[in-house]
Amino acid sequence: TGLDDHNIKSLAKAMKTNKTMTYLDVDYNKNGNDRMTYLAKALKTNKTIIHLNLDDNKFGNDGMKYLAKALKKNNSITDLRLSGNNISDIGIIYLAEALSMNNSITSLDLENNCIGNNGMKYLADAFQTNNSIAVLDLGRNVIKLEKYCMDHKFILRQGWYINMNWT
């Protein structure tokens, strides 16, 4: 069933003042991009959430735009799960810009979205300045890895774990 507008607004309000919550799991809520605005505003000021699971909310590129603005200001989140949110290369532009400014995220799950080779290029560019990502899941996207590696210079850093299962 998921959280309705009232519940999302109440959660966002609590996130702004809560000093103890470190894990927030709002997966499979189909929140969409409208509800993402409430969560994103709260994340701009929240300093305690370390693990954020937004899997399968289907917020798309517009929701990613709001979330990316929050990630530019939030430096507490280390584990970010964004699987199954219909994020395409356009949404990755917003995320990559945020990642170039955010060095707190160490684990990023982008599995099961609509990311292609252009999105991969934006991520690779962001990783030139972002040295914090150690775990990256890009499985079940539309990236053509072989073509990408031939067309672009993409260097994997030692110690990275990357899932690129294309099934």
Side-chain angles (χ1 to χ4, degrees), residues 21 32 34 93 99 108 111 126 133-134 139 151:
M21 180 174 37
D34 293 335
I93 293 171
L99 290 175
L108 178 60
E111 181 184 17
I133 302 287
D151 292 346

Side-chain angles (χ1 to χ4, degrees), residues 117 142-152 164 166:
N117 285 8
V142 293
I143 302 164
K144 303 289 187 235
L145 184 60
E146 295 82 12
K147 180 174 177 7
Y148 179 82
C149 289
M150 291 186 319
D151 292 346
H152 303 285
M164 292 187 176
W166 308 119

Side-chain angles (χ1 to χ4, degrees), residues 60-123:
N61 297 326
D62 289 338
M64 186 68 253
K65 184 177 184 178
Y66 299 125
L67 181 59
K69 286 179 183 178
L71 294 174
K72 289 178 186 178
K73 297 187 182 293
N74 183 297
N75 61 3
S76 65
I77 297 170
T78 60
D79 179 25
L80 181 58
R81 301 186 48 82
L82 300 173
S83 176
N85 281 301
N86 298 330
I87 302 167
S88 74
D89 293 347
I90 293 168
I92 293 300
I93 293 171
Y94 305 126
L95 178 61
E97 184 180 319
L99 290 175
S100 67
M101 299 176 187
N102 179 312
N103 282 304
S104 66
I105 298 170
T106 59
S107 179
L108 178 60
D109 181 357
L110 291 167
E111 181 184 17
N112 195 28
N113 280 289
C114 308
I115 304 165
N117 285 8
N118 287 334
M120 186 68 181
K121 179 189 178 313
Y122 294 117
L123 285 174

Side-chain angles (χ1 to χ4, degrees), residues 18-54:
N18 187 290
K19 305 282 189 240
T20 58
M21 180 174 37
T22 60
Y23 191 100
L24 179 60
D25 186 340
V26 286
D27 63 344
Y28 296 97
N29 277 287
K30 310 287 189 274
N31 284 317
N33 63 359
D34 293 335
R35 293 181 183 158
M36 182 53 67
T37 60
Y38 305 122
L39 293 176
K41 285 179 186 176
L43 287 169
K44 285 181 183 179
T45 58
N46 180 282
K47 303 297 180 206
T48 60
I49 294 174
I50 297 169
H51 305 282
L52 179 60
N53 185 351
L54 296 171

